[in-house]
Protein backbone atom coordinates (compact mmCIF):
# COMPACT_ATOMS: atom_id res chain seq x y z
CA UNK A 1 0.00 0.00 0.00
CA UNK A 2 1.30 3.43 -0.96
CA UNK A 3 2.01 5.78 1.90
CA UNK A 4 0.81 9.39 1.92
CA UNK A 5 4.40 10.54 1.52
CA UNK A 6 4.80 8.36 -1.55
CA UNK A 7 1.56 9.77 -2.95
CA UNK A 8 2.71 13.36 -2.50
CA UNK A 9 5.97 12.50 -4.19
CA UNK A 10 4.07 11.18 -7.19
CA UNK A 11 2.59 13.06 -10.15
CA UNK A 12 -0.50 13.56 -7.94
CA UNK A 13 1.37 15.85 -5.58
CA UNK A 14 0.57 19.08 -7.40
CA UNK A 15 -3.16 18.28 -7.95
CA UNK A 16 -3.55 17.38 -4.27
CA UNK A 17 -1.90 20.63 -3.16
CA UNK A 18 -3.98 22.63 -5.66
CA UNK A 19 -7.24 21.04 -4.45
CA UNK A 20 -6.30 21.75 -0.83
CA UNK A 21 -5.42 25.36 -1.65
CA UNK A 22 -8.68 25.78 -3.53
CA UNK A 23 -10.67 24.51 -0.54
CA UNK A 24 -9.25 27.12 1.85
CA UNK A 25 -11.72 29.95 1.05
CA UNK A 26 -14.61 27.81 2.34
CA UNK A 27 -13.36 28.45 5.87
CA UNK A 28 -14.63 32.03 5.54
CA UNK A 29 -18.23 30.80 5.13
CA UNK A 30 -20.58 29.38 7.79
CA UNK A 31 -20.10 27.26 9.80
CA UNK A 32 -16.41 28.17 10.40
CA UNK A 33 -17.23 31.83 9.53
CA UNK A 34 -13.59 32.94 9.53
CA UNK A 35 -14.59 35.99 7.50
CA UNK A 36 -11.26 37.72 8.19
CA UNK A 37 -9.54 34.92 6.25
CA UNK A 38 -11.22 35.69 2.91
CA UNK A 39 -8.83 38.53 1.85
CA UNK A 40 -5.86 36.10 1.94
CA UNK A 41 -7.51 32.71 1.39
CA UNK A 42 -6.61 32.60 -2.32
CA UNK A 43 -2.93 33.48 -1.84
CA UNK A 44 -1.64 29.85 -1.65
CA UNK A 45 -3.63 28.94 -4.77
CA UNK A 46 -2.25 31.99 -6.63
CA UNK A 47 1.30 31.24 -5.46
CA UNK A 48 1.03 27.68 -6.76
CA UNK A 49 -0.41 28.57 -10.18
CA UNK A 50 2.15 31.31 -10.86
CA UNK A 51 5.00 28.80 -10.45
CA UNK A 52 3.53 26.28 -12.89
CA UNK A 53 6.12 25.22 -15.49
CA UNK A 54 3.69 25.62 -18.38
CA UNK A 55 0.40 27.32 -19.17
CA UNK A 56 -1.29 23.93 -19.40
CA UNK A 57 -0.04 23.03 -15.92
CA UNK A 58 -1.32 26.35 -14.56
CA UNK A 59 -4.74 25.69 -16.11
CA UNK A 60 -4.70 22.28 -14.39
CA UNK A 61 -3.88 24.01 -11.10
CA UNK A 62 -6.89 26.23 -11.66
CA UNK A 63 -9.09 23.22 -12.41
CA UNK A 64 -7.92 21.22 -9.40
CA UNK A 65 -8.24 24.27 -7.15
CA UNK A 66 -11.76 24.86 -8.44
CA UNK A 67 -12.54 21.19 -7.79
CA UNK A 68 -11.35 21.55 -4.19
CA UNK A 69 -13.33 24.75 -3.71
CA UNK A 70 -16.56 23.30 -5.09
CA UNK A 71 -16.20 19.99 -3.24
CA UNK A 72 -15.52 21.72 0.07
CA UNK A 73 -18.38 24.18 -0.48
CA UNK A 74 -20.87 21.41 -1.31
CA UNK A 75 -19.45 18.54 0.78
CA UNK A 76 -22.77 18.25 2.62
CA UNK A 77 -24.28 16.82 -0.57
CA UNK A 78 -22.16 13.66 -0.30
CA UNK A 79 -24.67 11.60 1.75
CA UNK A 80 -27.33 12.27 -0.89
CA UNK A 81 -25.57 12.50 -4.26
CA UNK A 82 -22.63 10.22 -3.36
CA UNK A 83 -20.14 9.89 -6.23
CA UNK A 84 -22.07 12.41 -8.31
CA UNK A 85 -20.87 15.12 -5.90
CA UNK A 86 -17.34 14.56 -7.21
CA UNK A 87 -18.60 14.69 -10.79
CA UNK A 88 -20.30 18.04 -10.13
CA UNK A 89 -17.21 19.42 -8.37
CA UNK A 90 -15.02 18.39 -11.33
CA UNK A 91 -17.45 19.94 -13.80
CA UNK A 92 -17.67 23.23 -11.94
CA UNK A 93 -13.97 23.24 -11.10
CA UNK A 94 -13.16 23.45 -14.80
CA UNK A 95 -14.45 27.03 -14.74
CA UNK A 96 -11.28 28.06 -12.88
CA UNK A 97 -8.90 26.55 -15.45
CA UNK A 98 -8.72 29.82 -17.44
CA UNK A 99 -8.18 31.71 -14.18
CA UNK A 100 -5.22 29.47 -13.30
CA UNK A 101 -3.76 30.02 -16.78
CA UNK A 102 -4.14 33.78 -16.38
CA UNK A 103 -2.37 33.72 -13.00
CA UNK A 104 0.74 32.27 -14.63
CA UNK A 105 0.41 34.46 -17.73
CA UNK A 106 0.37 37.65 -15.67
CA UNK A 107 2.39 36.75 -12.57
CA UNK A 108 4.64 33.90 -13.67
CA UNK A 109 8.42 34.28 -13.63
CA UNK A 110 9.55 37.84 -12.95
CA UNK A 111 6.60 39.93 -14.10
CA UNK A 112 7.04 43.61 -14.90
CA UNK A 113 5.16 46.23 -12.98
CA UNK A 114 2.80 46.57 -15.93
CA UNK A 115 1.92 42.87 -15.93
CA UNK A 116 1.45 42.87 -12.15
CA UNK A 117 -0.77 45.95 -12.38
CA UNK A 118 -2.84 44.25 -15.10
CA UNK A 119 -3.18 41.16 -12.88
CA UNK A 120 -4.78 43.28 -10.17
CA UNK A 121 -7.70 44.01 -12.51
CA UNK A 122 -7.76 41.04 -14.91
CA UNK A 123 -7.62 38.25 -12.31
CA UNK A 124 -10.58 39.56 -10.24
CA UNK A 125 -12.49 40.01 -13.51
CA UNK A 126 -11.74 36.43 -14.54
CA UNK A 127 -12.90 35.20 -11.14
CA UNK A 128 -16.20 37.06 -11.60
CA UNK A 129 -16.58 35.48 -15.04
CA UNK A 130 -16.29 32.02 -13.45
CA UNK A 131 -18.84 32.98 -10.79
CA UNK A 132 -21.17 34.28 -13.50
CA UNK A 133 -21.09 31.02 -15.46
CA UNK A 134 -21.60 28.80 -12.44
CA UNK A 135 -24.53 30.99 -11.36
CA UNK A 136 -26.57 29.35 -14.07
CA UNK A 137 -29.35 27.43 -12.34
CA UNK A 138 -28.53 24.10 -14.04
CA UNK A 139 -24.97 24.30 -12.63
CA UNK A 140 -26.19 24.81 -9.08
CA UNK A 141 -26.69 28.56 -8.96
CA UNK A 142 -24.60 31.20 -7.17
CA UNK A 143 -24.20 29.24 -3.94
CA UNK A 144 -20.85 29.99 -2.31
CA UNK A 145 -20.02 33.16 -4.24
CA UNK A 146 -16.84 34.44 -2.61
CA UNK A 147 -18.37 37.79 -1.65
CA UNK A 148 -21.10 36.04 0.32
CA UNK A 149 -18.51 35.12 2.97
CA UNK A 150 -18.66 38.75 4.17
CA UNK A 151 -22.34 38.71 5.16
CA UNK A 152 -21.52 39.90 8.70
CA UNK A 153 -19.15 42.71 7.67
CA UNK A 154 -20.94 46.07 7.68
CA UNK A 155 -18.69 47.82 5.09
CA UNK A 156 -19.10 44.83 2.77
CA UNK A 157 -22.88 45.01 3.07
CA UNK A 158 -22.72 48.69 2.10
CA UNK A 159 -20.68 47.65 -0.97
CA UNK A 160 -23.43 45.13 -1.79
CA UNK A 161 -25.98 47.94 -1.92
CA UNK A 162 -23.91 49.49 -4.73
CA UNK A 163 -22.70 46.52 -6.77
CA UNK A 164 -24.27 43.46 -5.23
CA UNK A 165 -22.32 40.50 -3.94
CA UNK A 166 -20.28 40.70 -7.17
CA UNK A 167 -18.55 43.91 -6.11
CA UNK A 168 -17.51 42.27 -2.83
CA UNK A 169 -16.13 39.26 -4.72
CA UNK A 170 -14.14 41.51 -7.05
CA UNK A 171 -12.53 43.43 -4.19
CA UNK A 172 -11.75 40.26 -2.24
CA UNK A 173 -9.93 38.72 -5.20
CA UNK A 174 -8.11 42.01 -5.79
CA UNK A 175 -6.94 41.96 -2.16
CA UNK A 176 -5.76 38.36 -2.51
CA UNK A 177 -3.84 39.15 -5.70
CA UNK A 178 -2.29 42.24 -4.13
CA UNK A 179 -1.12 40.26 -1.09
CA UNK A 180 0.28 37.50 -3.33
CA UNK A 181 2.16 40.07 -5.43
CA UNK A 182 3.40 41.86 -2.34
CA UNK A 183 5.07 38.72 -1.00
CA UNK A 184 6.19 36.98 -4.20
CA UNK A 185 7.00 39.70 -6.75
CA UNK A 186 9.37 42.27 -5.26
CA UNK A 187 9.60 44.54 -8.27
CA UNK A 188 5.80 44.92 -8.32
CA UNK A 189 5.26 45.91 -4.72
CA UNK A 190 4.33 49.48 -5.65
CA UNK A 191 1.20 48.51 -7.68
CA UNK A 192 0.33 45.94 -5.01
CA UNK A 193 0.39 48.55 -2.26
CA UNK A 194 -1.44 50.99 -4.52
CA UNK A 195 -4.23 48.46 -5.09
CA UNK A 196 -4.58 47.85 -1.35
CA UNK A 197 -4.89 51.57 -0.80
CA UNK A 198 -7.37 51.82 -3.68
CA UNK A 199 -9.55 49.08 -2.21
CA UNK A 200 -9.61 50.94 1.09
CA UNK A 201 -10.46 54.21 -0.65
CA UNK A 202 -13.29 52.60 -2.66
CA UNK A 203 -14.77 51.08 0.47
CA UNK A 204 -14.51 54.39 2.33
CA UNK A 205 -16.10 56.34 -0.53
CA UNK A 206 -18.98 53.88 -0.72
CA UNK A 207 -19.37 54.00 3.06
CA UNK A 208 -19.63 57.77 3.01
CA UNK A 209 -21.39 58.35 -0.30
CA UNK A 210 -23.76 55.42 -0.83
CA UNK A 211 -27.28 56.07 0.46
CA UNK A 212 -27.89 54.01 3.59
CA UNK A 213 -31.24 52.29 4.02
CA UNK A 214 -33.42 54.49 6.22
CA UNK A 215 -36.26 52.82 8.09
CA UNK A 216 -39.59 54.54 7.41
CA UNK A 217 -41.98 52.07 8.99
CA UNK A 218 -42.28 48.76 10.79
CA UNK A 219 -44.17 45.51 10.48
CA UNK A 220 -44.47 42.43 12.66
CA UNK A 221 -43.82 39.13 10.95
CA UNK A 222 -44.09 35.73 12.62
CA UNK A 223 -41.96 32.75 11.59
CA UNK A 224 -43.26 29.26 12.32
CA UNK A 225 -40.49 26.63 12.46
CA UNK A 226 -41.79 23.17 13.44
CA UNK A 227 -38.46 21.32 13.34
CA UNK A 228 -37.83 17.84 11.97
CA UNK A 229 -40.95 15.71 11.54
CA UNK A 230 -40.26 12.41 9.83
CA UNK A 231 -41.62 8.91 9.57
CA UNK A 232 -45.07 7.62 8.61
CA UNK A 233 -47.76 10.23 7.93
CA UNK A 234 -45.21 13.02 8.44
CA UNK A 235 -47.13 15.48 6.23
CA UNK A 236 -50.24 15.33 8.44
CA UNK A 237 -48.25 15.40 11.67
CA UNK A 238 -46.18 18.37 10.49
CA UNK A 239 -49.32 20.29 9.58
CA UNK A 240 -50.77 19.60 13.01
CA UNK A 241 -47.61 20.83 14.74
CA UNK A 242 -47.49 23.99 12.60
CA UNK A 243 -51.14 24.55 13.45
CA UNK A 244 -50.49 24.34 17.19
CA UNK A 245 -47.46 26.66 16.98
CA UNK A 246 -49.41 29.20 14.94
CA UNK A 247 -52.24 29.32 17.50
CA UNK A 248 -49.70 30.55 20.06
CA UNK A 249 -49.41 33.74 18.02
CA UNK A 250 -52.91 34.90 18.97
CA UNK A 251 -52.79 38.33 20.56
CA UNK A 252 -49.20 39.11 19.45
CA UNK A 253 -50.28 41.62 16.76
CA UNK A 254 -48.53 39.89 13.86
CA UNK A 255 -49.12 41.39 10.41
CA UNK A 256 -48.10 38.20 8.59
CA UNK A 257 -47.37 34.58 9.52
CA UNK A 258 -44.83 32.69 7.40
CA UNK A 259 -44.42 28.91 7.21
CA UNK A 260 -41.41 27.24 5.61
CA UNK A 261 -40.89 25.43 2.34
CA UNK A 262 -43.00 22.28 1.84
CA UNK A 263 -44.90 23.14 5.02
CA UNK A 264 -48.13 21.81 3.41
CA UNK A 265 -47.85 18.48 1.65
CA UNK A 266 -51.33 18.51 0.06
CA UNK A 267 -52.93 20.59 -2.65
CA UNK A 268 -55.38 22.93 -0.95
CA UNK A 269 -57.79 22.64 -3.89
CA UNK A 270 -58.06 18.91 -3.23
CA UNK A 271 -58.10 19.33 0.57
CA UNK A 272 -60.68 22.01 1.44
CA UNK A 273 -60.52 20.82 5.06
CA UNK A 274 -56.92 22.03 5.30
CA UNK A 275 -57.83 25.31 3.63
CA UNK A 276 -60.53 25.86 6.28
CA UNK A 277 -58.08 25.08 9.09
CA UNK A 278 -55.60 27.59 7.66
CA UNK A 279 -58.35 30.22 7.41
CA UNK A 280 -59.18 29.60 11.07
CA UNK A 281 -55.50 30.10 11.94
CA UNK A 282 -55.51 33.40 10.04
CA UNK A 283 -58.49 34.58 12.07
CA UNK A 284 -56.89 33.46 15.34
CA UNK A 285 -53.55 35.16 14.58
CA UNK A 286 -55.19 38.24 13.12
CA UNK A 287 -52.96 38.03 10.03
CA UNK A 288 -52.67 36.28 6.68
CA UNK A 289 -50.66 33.05 6.62
CA UNK A 290 -48.15 32.39 3.84
CA UNK A 291 -47.70 28.64 3.44
CA UNK A 292 -45.71 26.64 0.92
CA UNK A 293 -47.52 23.78 -0.83
CA UNK A 294 -45.40 20.95 -2.21
CA UNK A 295 -47.88 18.64 -3.92
CA UNK A 296 -49.40 17.48 -7.16
CA UNK A 297 -51.91 20.14 -8.19
CA UNK A 298 -55.53 19.25 -8.76
CA UNK A 299 -56.09 21.91 -11.43
CA UNK A 300 -53.06 21.19 -13.66
CA UNK A 301 -50.57 18.36 -14.21
CA UNK A 302 -47.39 17.81 -12.23
CA UNK A 303 -45.93 18.62 -8.83
CA UNK A 304 -45.44 22.28 -7.95
CA UNK A 305 -43.83 24.11 -5.05
CA UNK A 306 -46.04 27.10 -4.45
CA UNK A 307 -46.20 29.98 -1.99
CA UNK A 308 -49.91 30.37 -1.20
CA UNK A 309 -51.41 33.23 0.81
CA UNK A 310 -54.35 32.30 3.07
CA UNK A 311 -56.55 34.91 4.73
CA UNK A 312 -59.44 34.68 7.21
CA UNK A 313 -61.78 33.57 4.43
CA UNK A 314 -59.41 31.00 2.91
CA UNK A 315 -56.85 31.14 0.07
CA UNK A 316 -56.76 34.68 -1.31
CA UNK A 317 -55.79 33.63 -4.84
CA UNK A 318 -52.29 35.07 -4.39
CA UNK A 319 -49.89 32.32 -5.45
CA UNK A 320 -46.29 32.01 -6.59
CA UNK A 321 -45.00 28.85 -8.25
CA UNK A 322 -41.28 28.27 -7.78
CA UNK A 323 -39.36 29.18 -10.94
CA UNK A 324 -35.79 28.05 -10.29
CA UNK A 325 -35.54 24.44 -9.25
CA UNK A 326 -32.69 22.73 -7.44
CA UNK A 327 -30.72 20.56 -9.89
CA UNK A 328 -31.06 16.87 -8.99
CA UNK A 329 -33.04 17.74 -5.84
CA UNK A 330 -36.16 18.90 -7.70
CA UNK A 331 -35.35 17.97 -11.27
CA UNK A 332 -32.61 16.15 -13.16
CA UNK A 333 -30.98 18.24 -15.91
CA UNK A 334 -30.94 16.32 -19.20
CA UNK A 335 -32.73 13.43 -17.50
CA UNK A 336 -32.33 11.19 -20.55
CA UNK A 337 -28.55 11.52 -20.16
CA UNK A 338 -28.13 11.92 -16.39
CA UNK A 339 -31.09 9.96 -15.10
CA UNK A 340 -28.68 7.35 -13.69
CA UNK A 341 -28.08 9.81 -10.81
CA UNK A 342 -31.35 8.61 -9.25
CA UNK A 343 -29.83 5.16 -8.81
CA UNK A 344 -26.71 6.29 -6.95
CA UNK A 345 -28.19 9.07 -4.81
CA UNK A 346 -31.40 10.77 -3.77
CA UNK A 347 -31.99 12.69 -6.98
CA UNK A 348 -35.56 13.63 -7.88
CA UNK A 349 -37.53 10.74 -9.28
CA UNK A 350 -39.92 13.15 -11.02
CA UNK A 351 -39.24 16.68 -12.21
CA UNK A 352 -41.28 19.40 -10.53
CA UNK A 353 -43.01 21.98 -12.72
CA UNK A 354 -41.72 25.53 -13.01
CA UNK A 355 -43.54 28.79 -12.44
CA UNK A 356 -43.42 31.44 -15.13
CA UNK A 357 -43.12 34.77 -13.31
CA UNK A 358 -42.34 36.34 -9.97
CA UNK A 359 -45.24 37.66 -7.90
CA UNK A 360 -45.64 40.47 -5.39
CA UNK A 361 -48.56 39.76 -3.05
CA UNK A 362 -50.81 42.04 -1.02
CA UNK A 363 -50.70 40.64 2.52
CA UNK A 364 -53.21 43.18 3.85
CA UNK A 365 -52.79 46.48 5.63
CA UNK A 366 -50.78 47.83 2.70
CA UNK A 367 -47.97 45.27 3.21
CA UNK A 368 -46.59 43.98 -0.10
CA UNK A 369 -44.47 40.84 0.06
CA UNK A 370 -42.18 39.14 -2.46
CA UNK A 371 -41.86 35.37 -1.93
CA UNK A 372 -38.97 33.18 -3.01
CA UNK A 373 -38.60 29.46 -2.43
CA UNK A 374 -35.49 27.62 -1.20
CA UNK A 375 -32.29 28.37 -3.10
CA UNK A 376 -33.95 31.14 -5.10
CA UNK A 377 -32.66 33.39 -2.32
CA UNK A 378 -29.15 32.70 -3.66
CA UNK A 379 -29.95 34.54 -6.92
CA UNK A 380 -29.43 38.32 -6.54
CA UNK A 381 -31.50 39.10 -9.63
CA UNK A 382 -34.65 37.53 -8.15
CA UNK A 383 -34.67 39.67 -4.99
CA UNK A 384 -33.68 42.71 -7.05
CA UNK A 385 -36.62 42.13 -9.37
CA UNK A 386 -39.06 41.81 -6.45
CA UNK A 387 -37.77 45.06 -4.93
CA UNK A 388 -38.22 46.73 -8.29
CA UNK A 389 -41.81 45.44 -8.41
CA UNK A 390 -42.58 47.21 -5.16
CA UNK A 391 -42.19 44.51 -2.50
CA UNK A 392 -41.86 45.89 1.04
CA UNK A 393 -40.50 42.63 2.46
CA UNK A 394 -38.72 39.75 0.75
CA UNK A 395 -39.59 36.27 2.03
CA UNK A 396 -37.52 33.13 1.49
CA UNK A 397 -39.38 29.93 2.40
CA UNK A 398 -36.85 27.16 2.80
CA UNK A 399 -36.19 23.68 4.13
CA UNK A 400 -32.76 22.22 4.68
CA UNK A 401 -33.97 19.28 6.77
CA UNK A 402 -32.05 16.81 4.58
CA UNK A 403 -28.79 18.54 5.57
CA UNK A 404 -29.68 19.23 9.18
CA UNK A 405 -26.30 18.42 10.73
CA UNK A 406 -24.19 20.11 8.06
CA UNK A 407 -22.98 23.62 7.20
CA UNK A 408 -25.83 24.07 4.70
CA UNK A 409 -28.49 25.63 7.01
CA UNK A 410 -26.13 28.35 8.22
CA UNK A 411 -24.82 29.05 4.72
CA UNK A 412 -28.37 29.37 3.42
CA UNK A 413 -29.55 31.68 6.20
CA UNK A 414 -26.55 33.97 5.74
CA UNK A 415 -27.68 34.78 2.19
CA UNK A 416 -30.58 36.79 3.62
CA UNK A 417 -28.13 39.44 4.81
CA UNK A 418 -26.71 39.92 1.29
CA UNK A 419 -30.13 40.06 -0.38
CA UNK A 420 -31.33 42.61 2.18
CA UNK A 421 -28.30 44.86 1.76
CA UNK A 422 -28.48 44.66 -2.05
CA UNK A 423 -32.12 45.66 -2.24
CA UNK A 424 -32.62 47.86 0.82
CA UNK A 425 -35.51 45.59 1.82
CA UNK A 426 -35.78 43.37 4.91
CA UNK A 427 -35.53 39.65 4.23
CA UNK A 428 -37.30 36.97 6.25
CA UNK A 429 -35.74 33.52 5.83
CA UNK A 430 -38.34 31.08 7.19
CA UNK A 431 -37.50 27.37 7.28
CA UNK A 432 -39.08 24.14 8.40
CA UNK A 433 -36.13 22.96 10.44
CA UNK A 434 -33.72 25.91 10.82
CA UNK A 435 -31.82 28.02 10.44
CA UNK A 436 -34.51 30.73 10.23
CA UNK A 437 -33.33 34.35 10.23
CA UNK A 438 -34.49 37.92 9.71
CA UNK A 439 -32.30 40.74 8.39
CA UNK A 440 -33.15 44.42 8.16
CA UNK A 441 -32.90 46.61 5.04
CA UNK A 442 -29.22 47.30 5.71
CA UNK A 443 -28.42 43.58 6.04
CA UNK A 444 -28.09 43.69 9.83
CA UNK A 445 -29.55 40.88 11.91
CA UNK A 446 -32.97 41.41 13.47
CA UNK A 447 -33.57 39.29 16.55
CA UNK A 448 -32.14 35.82 17.13
CA UNK A 449 -31.65 33.10 14.55
CA UNK A 450 -33.77 29.99 15.11
CA UNK A 451 -31.31 27.10 15.09
CA UNK A 452 -31.78 23.57 13.83
CA UNK A 453 -32.76 22.43 17.33
CA UNK A 454 -35.70 24.86 17.63
CA UNK A 455 -39.40 24.05 17.24
CA UNK A 456 -41.18 27.32 17.82
CA UNK A 457 -43.08 30.33 16.51
CA UNK A 458 -41.55 33.79 16.95
CA UNK A 459 -42.66 37.31 16.04
CA UNK A 460 -40.06 39.72 14.68
CA UNK A 461 -40.41 43.50 14.68
CA UNK A 462 -39.11 44.26 11.18
CA UNK A 463 -38.07 47.76 10.01
CA UNK A 464 -39.21 48.78 6.53
CA UNK A 465 -37.39 50.98 4.01
CA UNK A 466 -38.52 52.10 0.55
CA UNK A 467 -35.55 53.81 -1.08
CA UNK A 468 -33.89 52.42 -4.20
CA UNK A 469 -30.33 51.15 -3.84
CA UNK A 470 -27.79 51.68 -6.63
CA UNK A 471 -27.73 47.91 -7.13
CA UNK A 472 -31.49 47.76 -7.72
CA UNK A 473 -31.20 50.73 -10.09
CA UNK A 474 -28.14 49.66 -12.08
CA UNK A 475 -28.09 45.88 -11.65
CA UNK A 476 -25.08 43.60 -12.16
CA UNK A 477 -22.72 46.27 -13.47
CA UNK A 478 -19.60 44.69 -11.84
CA UNK A 479 -20.16 41.60 -13.99
CA UNK A 480 -20.50 43.70 -17.13
CA UNK A 481 -17.39 45.69 -16.20
CA UNK A 482 -15.45 42.46 -15.60
CA UNK A 483 -16.37 41.12 -19.02
CA UNK A 484 -15.29 44.42 -20.62
CA UNK A 485 -11.95 44.22 -18.79
CA UNK A 486 -11.37 40.68 -20.08
CA UNK A 487 -12.34 41.71 -23.62
CA UNK A 488 -10.00 44.73 -23.51
CA UNK A 489 -7.13 42.65 -22.15
CA UNK A 490 -7.72 39.96 -24.78
CA UNK A 491 -7.72 42.57 -27.53
CA UNK A 492 -4.50 44.12 -26.21
CA UNK A 493 -2.85 40.70 -26.09
CA UNK A 494 -3.94 40.00 -29.66
CA UNK A 495 -2.47 43.30 -30.88
CA UNK A 496 0.76 42.62 -29.04
CA UNK A 497 0.99 39.13 -30.55
CA UNK A 498 0.55 40.54 -34.06
CA UNK A 499 3.27 43.12 -33.49
CA UNK A 500 5.59 40.45 -32.11
CA UNK A 501 5.06 38.24 -35.17
CA UNK A 502 5.79 41.15 -37.47
CA UNK A 503 9.04 41.93 -35.67
CA UNK A 504 10.19 38.32 -35.79
CA UNK A 505 9.03 37.55 -39.33
CA UNK A 506 11.76 36.60 -41.91
CA UNK A 507 13.25 39.68 -43.57
CA UNK A 508 12.26 41.96 -40.71
CA UNK A 509 15.66 41.91 -38.97
CA UNK A 510 17.48 45.21 -39.35
CA UNK A 511 17.31 47.87 -42.14
CA UNK A 512 17.33 46.86 -45.77
CA UNK A 513 20.56 47.36 -47.76
CA UNK A 514 20.70 50.43 -50.03
CA UNK A 515 22.44 51.08 -53.40
CA UNK A 516 24.91 53.85 -54.05
CA UNK A 517 21.99 55.99 -55.30
CA UNK A 518 20.20 55.60 -51.95
CA UNK A 519 17.33 53.42 -53.19
CA UNK A 520 16.60 50.07 -51.56
CA UNK A 521 18.42 47.16 -53.15
CA UNK A 522 16.28 44.62 -54.91
CA UNK A 523 16.90 40.90 -55.12
CA UNK A 524 19.21 40.11 -58.01
CA UNK A 525 20.71 43.61 -58.20
Amino acid sequence: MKTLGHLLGSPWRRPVVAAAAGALPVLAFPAPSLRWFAPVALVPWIALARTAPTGRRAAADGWWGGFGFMLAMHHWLLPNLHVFTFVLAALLGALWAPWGWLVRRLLGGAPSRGRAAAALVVLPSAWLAAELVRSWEALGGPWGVLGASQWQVTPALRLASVGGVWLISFLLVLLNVAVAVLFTVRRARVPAVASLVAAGVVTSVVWVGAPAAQADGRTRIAVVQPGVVSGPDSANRRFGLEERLTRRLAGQDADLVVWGESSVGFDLGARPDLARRLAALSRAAGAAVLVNVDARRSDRPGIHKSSVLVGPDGPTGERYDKMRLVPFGEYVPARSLLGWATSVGEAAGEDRRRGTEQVVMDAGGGLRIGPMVCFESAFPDMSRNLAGKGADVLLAQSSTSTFQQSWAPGQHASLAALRAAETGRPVVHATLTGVSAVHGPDGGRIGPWLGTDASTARVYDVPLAHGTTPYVRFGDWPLHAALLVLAAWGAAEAVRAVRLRRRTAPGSHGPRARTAHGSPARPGH
Side-chain angles (χ1 to χ4, degrees):
M1 180 180 294
K2 293 183 178 181
T3 64
L4 179 60
H6 183 78
L7 175 64
L8 293 180
S10 73
W12 284 99
R13 177 178 182 175
R14 195 174 186 100
V16 168
V17 173
L24 289 177
V26 177
L27 297 176
F29 292 80
S33 290
L34 305 178
R35 55 188 181 275
W36 53 266
F37 183 53
V40 296
L42 300 178
V43 172
W45 191 0
I46 294 171
L48 179 70
R50 70 174 293 270
T51 62
T54 65
R56 178 178 295 182
R57 182 67 263 175
D61 290 342
W63 191 334
W64 279 105
F67 169 80
F69 181 40
M70 289 291 94
L71 185 62
M73 182 60 68
H74 299 94
H75 71 276
W76 38 268
L77 290 172
L78 280 167
N80 301 88
L81 294 185
H82 306 304
V83 68
F84 208 77
T85 309
F86 293 92
V87 176
L88 289 174
L91 173 65
L92 295 174
L95 296 174
W96 278 272
W99 185 78
W101 180 87
L102 281 170
V103 169
R104 181 184 182 276
R105 180 73 181 83
L106 293 167
L107 296 178
S112 65
R113 288 186 177 182
R115 280 172 57 194
L120 292 165
V121 179
V122 174
L123 292 180
S125 297
W127 184 280
L128 253 63
E131 289 194 336
L132 171 62
V133 175
R134 79 179 182 91
S135 295
W136 181 35
E137 172 198 340
L139 293 180
W143 187 286
V145 170
L146 187 62
S149 65
Q150 304 303 291
W151 64 279
Q152 289 178 292
V153 180
T154 302
L157 293 175
R158 186 69 65 84
L159 287 170
S161 73
V162 174
V165 69
W166 315 113
L167 181 57
I168 307 174
S169 284
F170 184 94
L171 290 176
L172 282 177
V173 179
L174 184 150
L175 291 173
N176 276 275
V177 175
V179 172
V181 169
L182 195 62
F183 285 99
T184 61
V185 186
R186 290 187 177 182
R187 67 167 64 184
R189 286 179 176 175
V190 171
V193 172
S195 68
L196 291 173
V197 173
V201 169
V202 168
T203 303
S204 299
V205 169
V206 170
W207 179 264
V208 174
Q214 298 294 330
D216 55 13
R218 307 195 79 80
T219 188
R220 289 174 60 80
I221 297 180
V223 173
V224 175
Q225 179 179 298
V228 176
V229 179
S230 58
D233 199 30
S234 58
N236 277 314
R237 291 189 293 112
R238 180 183 300 111
F239 188 95
L241 177 55
E242 292 164 325
E243 191 175 32
R244 292 192 296 274
L245 291 172
T246 303
R247 289 195 178 280
R248 297 180 187 175
L249 299 172
Q252 296 193 41
D253 298 322
D255 298 309
L256 178 69
V257 179
V258 185
W259 290 12
E261 178 190 11
S262 303
S263 48
V264 178
F266 309 94
D267 181 70
L268 295 180
R271 291 290 304 270
D273 58 317
L274 297 184
R276 287 192 295 270
R277 289 164 66 181
L278 286 169
L281 290 176
S282 175
R283 293 191 296 271
V289 182
L290 185 73
V291 301
N292 187 267
V293 177
D294 184 359
R296 194 174 302 277
R297 289 184 62 165
S298 58
D299 58 343
R300 61 180 63 178
I303 302 174
H304 294 72
K305 277 194 176 180
S306 306
S307 300
V308 178
L309 192 65
V310 181
D313 299 321
T316 64
E318 300 269 31
R319 182 187 191 106
Y320 165 66
D321 295 325
K322 185 178 182 182
M323 296 171 59
R324 295 182 181 172
L325 305 178
V326 179
F328 300 97
E330 294 170 339
Y331 81 107
V332 176
R335 184 176 286 273
S336 60
L337 179 65
L338 301 176
W340 58 269
T342 60
S343 63
V344 297
E346 298 179 12
E350 177 183 349
D351 293 349
R352 282 170 169 76
R353 304 299 178 92
R354 298 175 185 273
T356 57
E357 63 178 345
Q358 290 185 268
V359 176
V360 174
M361 302 177 180
D362 183 356
L367 180 65
R368 291 170 59 81
I369 59 175
M372 297 175 286
V373 184
C374 191
F375 93 142
E376 288 183 331
S377 66
F379 293 86
D381 66 302
M382 296 199 75
S383 53
R384 174 174 168 257
N385 187 47
L386 289 170
K389 284 177 172 285
D392 300 312
V393 179
L394 305 181
L395 303 170
Q397 295 175 293
S398 178
S399 171
T400 50
S401 55
T402 304
F403 312 106
Q404 193 75 351
Q405 305 304 319
S406 72
W407 294 355
Q411 287 180 9
H412 200 176
S414 70
L415 297 176
L418 274 300
R419 302 294 86 86
E422 289 168 344
T423 60
R425 299 292 184 272
V427 177
V428 176
H429 181 79
T431 73
L432 281 184
T433 58
V435 174
S436 295
V438 179
H439 288 264
D442 61 353
R445 184 185 298 186
I446 303 297
W449 279 18
L450 303 182
T452 55
D453 58 345
S455 176
T456 187
R458 184 179 182 91
V459 179
Y460 291 84
D461 194 22
V462 181
L464 300 176
H466 294 92
T468 301
T469 65
Y471 177 69
V472 170
R473 183 179 295 115
F474 300 113
D476 298 325
W477 63 265
L479 293 175
H480 303 151
L483 295 178
L484 286 175
V485 166
L486 294 175
W489 181 82
E493 286 290 289
V495 169
R496 192 174 74 165
V498 170
R499 290 176 176 173
L500 182 62
R501 281 198 299 271
R502 287 177 177 175
R503 286 199 302 267
T504 58
S508 63
H509 302 287
R512 299 176 67 180
R514 293 180 175 272
T515 65
H517 300 287
S519 60
R522 296 179 181 178
H525 288 266

